[in-house]
Amino acid sequence: QVQLVESGGGQVQAGGSLRLSCAASRSILSFLSMGWYRQAPGNQRELVASITNGDSTNYADSVKGRFTISRDNAKNTVYLQMNSLKPEDTAVYYCSARINIGGFWGQGTQVTVSS
């Protein structure tokens, strides 16, 4: 069983920054891709950003230019740098790892952006 442990969430004022980390219990090179999702109360879980083993990245339109996903294969960790945060970024952020069939999820970390 793979464990994904997120950290770095918290409360910040609008315009501020946070960096989320996701540490995997095994080599992240064993995954096809890794990503960050978020879920706000009453909303469906949505993709925020993803990165493949080839370092191809994909972002939701709402975060393009503000968020950056990156990976450190040596540390088995994926990061999400979030700048220029807005109140609408408030959500629980989940790390995910995709394999050929299915994938894994972290437990989530709360990000709260106040106006």
Side-chain angles (χ1 to χ4, degrees):
Q1 183 69 14
V2 173
Q3 289 188 328
L4 302 174
V5 180
E6 300 104 332
S7 60
Q11 186 165 353
V12 65
Q13 288 190 329
S17 298
L18 285 173
R19 188 177 81 154
L20 304 183
S21 300
C22 171
S25 59
R26 76 183 197 202
S27 173
I28 61 175
L29 292 172
S30 66
F31 306 128
L32 296 176
S33 66
M34 297 193 71
W36 288 95
Y37 288 73
R38 67 186 180 188
Q39 187 169 19
N43 290 356
Q44 290 186 333
R45 191 172 297 188
E46 63 175 359
L47 175 68
V48 176
S50 63
I51 185 167
T52 68
N53 273 346
D55 288 334
S56 293
T57 58
N58 182 48
Y59 295 93
D61 287 342
S62 59
V63 307
K64 283 180 180 176
R66 299 188 298 123
F67 291 10
T68 302
I69 189 170
S70 61
R71 56 193 292 154
D72 186 332
N73 295 332
K75 294 183 179 180
N76 295 325
T77 300
V78 174
Y79 304 97
L80 185 68
Q81 178 66 44
M82 305 186 294
N83 299 328
S84 303
L85 283 162
K86 304 176 181 179
E88 50 263 43
D89 294 319
T90 295
V92 178
Y93 284 70
Y94 298 91
C95 177
S96 73
R98 190 165 68 91
I99 56 176
N100 281 330
I101 300 177
F104 307 96
W105 292 94
Q107 81 286 353
T109 185
Q110 177 71 45
V111 171
T112 302
V113 185
S114 58
S115 58

